[in-house]
Amino acid sequence: MEALDLARWQFGITTVYHFLFVPLTIGLSLLVAVMQTFSVFAKDPDRKDAWTRMTKFFGSLLVLNFAIGIATGIVQEFQFGLNWSEYARYVGDVFGAPLALEGLVAFFLESVFLGLWIFGWNKLPERIHLLTIWAVALGTTCSAYFIVAANSFMQHPVGATLNPETGRAELDSLWAVLTNVTTLAAFPHVIAGAWLVAAAFVTGIASWHMVKHHRAADDAGRDTEEGSRQHELARGLYRPTVRFGVLAMVLAAIALVVSGDQQAQIMFKQQPMKMASAEALCETETGASFSILTVGGPDAFAQDCSSITHLIEVPYVTSFLATHTFDATLQGVDELNAQAQEEFGSTVTDIHGNQVTAEYRPNLFVTYWSFRLMMGLAAFSGVVALWALWATRKGRTTGSRAFQWFTVLAIPMPFFANSAGWVFTEMGRQPWVVHPNPDDPTVRLMTLQGVSSHPAGWVVASLIAFTLVYGVLAVVWFLLIRRTALQGAPLPHRDPGTGQLDTPVLSFDY
């Protein structure tokens, strides 16, 4: 395996791994901020206490996830200089600007105000303290925006021109980079995906504890003191959180559908090859169908369109996704590949000066199935939302074991959907690391031209090291999150003399 393939594998593994934590941090920071807002402005003492406990419980999970996300994110930027030095040389002046803004703006907000939030309980005024977690939520959202802006330049370069003397892209307008139409379409979709991840996380954990306390109440007897206490925990502490998580899931799903539709329209104009590859549409077709199941020969889902058979199709849907018309003509992969070879050449010079055949088709197997996994796994959350709404209707709680386990098993589905979406976005852009802008294709770079020239053995060593270290971190993260989640929120205790509830403490497991 060559250094190019190894470098791509390393960047793919570390990026997908890192992005397991990113959407949870982005979404959960907002949901925790909303929970604390409910607590601050609640007039009923019991409701105020319940939302305070939920805030600190899910806040502790947020901090654990945030720590791992920071540690794995630092590695990403080093890879540009190590494995992708030619890419960094070519677009570093442009690509580095939004990354620098992320550090100056987003990291500042996140680190400073997260510290104030953690250590400011009962020290800062209540509403000032509330603003600190909202600042954290703003920081995570800003971080997402700057990263999406950097990635969108790779998808649709704007605000830069190619210097023919240096052979580098130079920044003309930072504003153009930050307001790239691709950024404005992708950012809401990324944020909505993060909300869905966090909402499923909150719903699954709260549902688990609601069922646990419901069953404990049944076992003890509702007419006993312990049974009444357990029932109140299920109904008063966890049921509102389940309903809150479901509401967040519904809002996130609506935002995902609307923003995803906008992205499809832009993708069809900017990267028609990605749209065709998502459908494995090999031949140009009018009124293109959307295939639910497609099969092919041994090489059919690499970059070769031979022997592909669409078994189950929904007529006209792909044309509608691309243009909002059912009779639109979509170019096939083969035709688009021929056009690209005519425009950009049938051969390309790699970093070693060798002439290699230019292939402008992405891996069809990966783009086809990652696109469907993205949608299918995200839709799984809809089943959870409907079941949770039914189980908690009219003030009820449930002791269903099936519901308890289903909501927990549903937690990772939006995580995987997000990862599949990014795999589709990046693999569908291949063979470009900077895809040419259809209006001005001068700024462009193929992936094989962006890799560093060091030996493959070096990449093998770092790939093995990162994979092992990240594997250990994944186990540590899972064990800490699982232990904290199973402990649940600190349970309320009333003083026998005064009848007042105790104050929950923000705590962490190490």
Side-chain angles (χ1 to χ4, degrees):
M1 189 174 288
E2 297 181 355
L4 171 62
D5 299 317
L6 292 166
R8 291 181 65 188
W9 270 108
Q10 179 172 304
F11 199 85
I13 290 171
T14 54
T15 301
V16 169
Y17 180 88
H18 173 62
F19 202 73
L20 291 175
F21 311 108
V22 170
L24 182 58
T25 296
I26 295 171
L28 194 56
S29 61
L30 175 66
L31 296 189
V32 170
V34 175
M35 290 179 189
Q36 187 168 346
T37 303
F38 289 162
S39 170
V40 169
F41 291 98
K43 296 181 180 179
D44 180 77
D46 289 344
R47 286 178 60 85
K48 184 181 184 70
D49 177 78
W51 282 115
T52 300
R53 292 178 190 278
M54 287 295 103
T55 299
K56 293 188 175 183
F57 172 47
F58 284 103
S60 64
L61 292 167
L62 168 65
V63 173
L64 287 172
N65 187 75
F66 183 85
I68 298 292
I70 289 294
T72 57
I74 294 173
V75 175
Q76 300 301 101
E77 296 177 358
F78 282 109
Q79 289 189 82
F80 294 124
L82 295 175
N83 288 344
W84 300 97
S85 58
E86 288 301 313
Y87 166 80
R89 184 196 67 81
Y90 184 74
V91 295
D93 290 351
V94 184
F95 192 78
L99 295 184
L101 285 172
E102 184 199 18
L104 292 171
V105 178
F107 282 0
F108 172 80
L109 286 171
E110 292 168 2
S111 59
V112 171
F113 287 100
L114 185 62
L116 287 172
W117 184 75
I118 293 172
F119 299 107
W121 287 96
N122 304 320
K123 297 180 178 66
L124 294 173
E126 187 178 50
R127 296 193 180 187
I128 296 298
H129 185 257
L130 172 62
L131 290 177
T132 62
I133 189 62
W134 277 106
V136 173
L138 176 62
T140 60
T141 304
C142 288
S143 179
Y145 189 89
F146 292 129
I147 292 300
V148 170
N151 181 265
S152 294
F153 179 83
M154 301 166 68
Q155 308 287 342
H156 182 69
V158 295
T161 55
L162 180 64
N163 185 328
E165 295 181 2
T166 62
R168 302 175 65 205
E170 296 181 350
L171 182 65
D172 283 341
S173 171
L174 178 59
W175 180 250
V177 173
L178 295 179
T179 58
N180 189 341
V181 63
T182 309
T183 303
L184 299 180
F187 173 69
H189 199 63
V190 170
I191 293 299
W195 292 348
L196 186 64
V197 166
F201 186 79
V202 168
T203 302
I205 293 174
S207 296
W208 173 274
H209 288 287
M210 180 183 72
V211 172
K212 184 183 74 172
H213 289 294
H214 178 102
R215 295 178 69 86
D218 289 344
D219 292 341
R222 297 287 180 89
D223 54 346
T224 65
E225 180 180 350
E226 178 61 19
S228 176
R229 176 174 174 270
Q230 292 292 338
H231 177 65
E232 181 57 30
L233 290 173
R235 190 173 185 276
L237 186 61
Y238 285 106
R239 179 184 175 276
T241 309
V242 173
R243 304 280 292 187
F244 169 67
V246 169
L247 175 61
M249 290 172 70
V250 172
L251 294 177
I254 294 172
L256 275 171
V257 171
V258 173
S259 59
D261 176 69
Q262 293 298 314
Q263 273 199 293
Q265 308 290 305
I266 291 174
M267 181 175 66
F268 172 66
K269 297 175 182 177
Q270 296 178 352
Q271 299 182 29
M273 178 66 84
K274 185 185 292 186
M275 173 64 80
S277 300
E279 180 51 36
L281 183 68
C282 294
E283 303 297 332
T284 300
E285 187 175 330
T286 299
S289 302
F290 180 86
S291 69
I292 298 175
L293 178 62
T294 295
V295 297
D299 299 323
F301 279 77
Q303 293 171 307
D304 184 3
C305 270
S306 63
S307 305
I308 286 181
T309 303
H310 299 287
L311 297 180
I312 304 175
E313 294 182 310
V314 182
Y316 309 113
V317 170
T318 299
S319 286
F320 183 80
L321 290 174
T323 65
H324 281 182
T325 59
F326 292 105
D327 58 351
T329 299
L330 302 188
Q331 290 178 290
V333 169
D334 288 340
E335 181 178 339
L336 290 166
N337 186 57
Q339 287 182 359
Q341 287 183 332
E342 182 177 349
E343 183 176 2
F344 302 115
S346 57
T347 62
V348 61
T349 305
D350 66 12
I351 57 170
H352 303 293
N354 302 319
Q355 289 290 315
V356 297
T357 302
E359 177 59 64
Y360 298 96
R361 293 176 291 195
N363 185 300
L364 299 186
F365 179 83
V366 175
T367 51
Y368 179 89
W369 285 111
S370 60
F371 186 64
R372 279 147 185 80
L373 283 172
M374 173 186 67
M375 295 187 294
L377 292 172
F380 194 87
S381 298
V383 179
V384 176
L386 291 174
W387 195 351
L389 286 173
W390 177 258
T392 58
R393 68 193 185 280
K394 297 180 180 179
R396 301 180 186 180
T397 60
T398 179
S400 169
R401 287 286 194 189
F403 173 76
Q404 185 182 38
W405 279 105
F406 189 80
T407 54
V408 171
L409 292 175
I411 290 175
M413 298 305 173
F415 284 87
F416 297 148
N418 270 270
S419 295
W422 275 108
V423 169
F424 169 71
T425 298
E426 300 307 299
M427 290 295 291
R429 187 188 66 233
Q430 298 303 315
W432 302 100
V433 67
V434 179
H435 193 283
N437 186 328
D439 298 326
D440 181 11
T442 54
V443 177
R444 64 181 189 271
L445 188 69
M446 298 189 76
T447 305
L448 60 81
Q449 297 172 317
V451 70
S452 299
S453 59
H454 49 228
W458 293 8
V459 189
V460 170
S462 60
L463 173 60
I464 294 173
F466 280 131
T467 302
L468 291 176
V469 171
Y470 277 25
V472 172
L473 286 175
V475 173
V476 172
W477 172 83
F478 176 77
L479 292 177
L480 288 175
I481 291 291
R482 179 179 180 274
R483 183 167 66 176
T484 304
L486 285 176
Q487 287 176 352
L491 300 181
H493 297 281
R494 290 188 182 274
D495 185 284
T498 63
Q500 291 183 344
L501 290 166
D502 63 327
T503 302
V505 177
L506 182 68
S507 61
F508 309 98
D509 276 329
Y510 298 97

